[in-house]
Amino acid sequence: MSESAEQQALFTWAGLASAAVPELRLLHAIPNGGLRTKATAARLKKEGLKPGVPDLMLPVARHGWHGLYIELKYGKGRVSESQRWWHDELTNQRYAVFVCWGWEAAKKTILAYLSDGIIYEQNRAATH
């Protein structure tokens, strides 16, 4: 699989599960990555595209957080410096931020966030 395939699998699951968990309808992708022409990249930058912004956002407040951001990784994917910066800044603004390797880890993170919560500091320490 690829990171794209993992993300597609997550959204397939979210679409199926949204009948039981309606908040999943708010889950959306932030398409900051991917190969583009130079012209498209320049246009997107002018439109506000910023490197390092997490891949996914769930704008649902829980457990003192304003919402959930997920950086989805696959295989040996690594967190870049710009991603770390965004994770720290978003955390400072009271958003939960997690790095998940694969769609199933993202699914578990989302379900835990929506239900009983997550021991945030433990997960955060594992990603830095």
Side-chain angles (χ1 to χ4, degrees):
M1 285 185 75
S2 65
E3 189 173 306
S4 174
E6 293 283 344
Q7 189 163 317
Q8 291 176 45
L10 179 67
F11 276 92
T12 297
W13 162 78
L16 294 170
S18 66
V21 186
E23 294 92 340
L24 290 173
R25 294 183 188 125
L26 295 171
L27 180 66
H28 61 275
I30 301 169
N32 267 352
L35 296 176
R36 302 178 167 98
T37 65
K38 286 185 180 185
T40 299
R43 180 181 52 81
L44 291 173
K45 186 175 180 181
K46 287 178 183 177
E47 291 176 1
L49 181 122
K50 300 199 181 221
V53 174
D55 299 312
L56 309 169
M57 204 295 173
L58 181 64
V60 176
R62 289 287 192 283
H63 318 290
W65 301 104
H66 299 303
L68 171 67
Y69 281 91
I70 292 177
E71 179 63 40
L72 189 61
K73 296 291 184 187
Y74 173 73
K76 295 182 181 183
R78 295 179 185 234
V79 178
S80 71
E81 286 304 314
S82 62
Q83 289 170 333
R84 287 183 203 282
W85 182 88
W86 273 98
H87 298 177
D88 290 342
E89 293 299 316
L90 290 166
T91 300
N92 290 339
Q93 295 299 319
R94 300 299 302 154
Y95 288 93
V97 181
F98 291 90
V99 177
C100 298
W101 273 263
W103 80 270
E104 291 185 59
K107 170 187 164 183
K108 289 177 187 175
T109 299
I110 292 166
L111 290 175
Y113 176 82
L114 289 174
S115 61
D116 60 357
I118 299 170
I119 301 173
Y120 187 71
E121 287 71 22
Q122 279 185 340
N123 187 295
R124 191 118 165 95
T127 64
H128 274 65

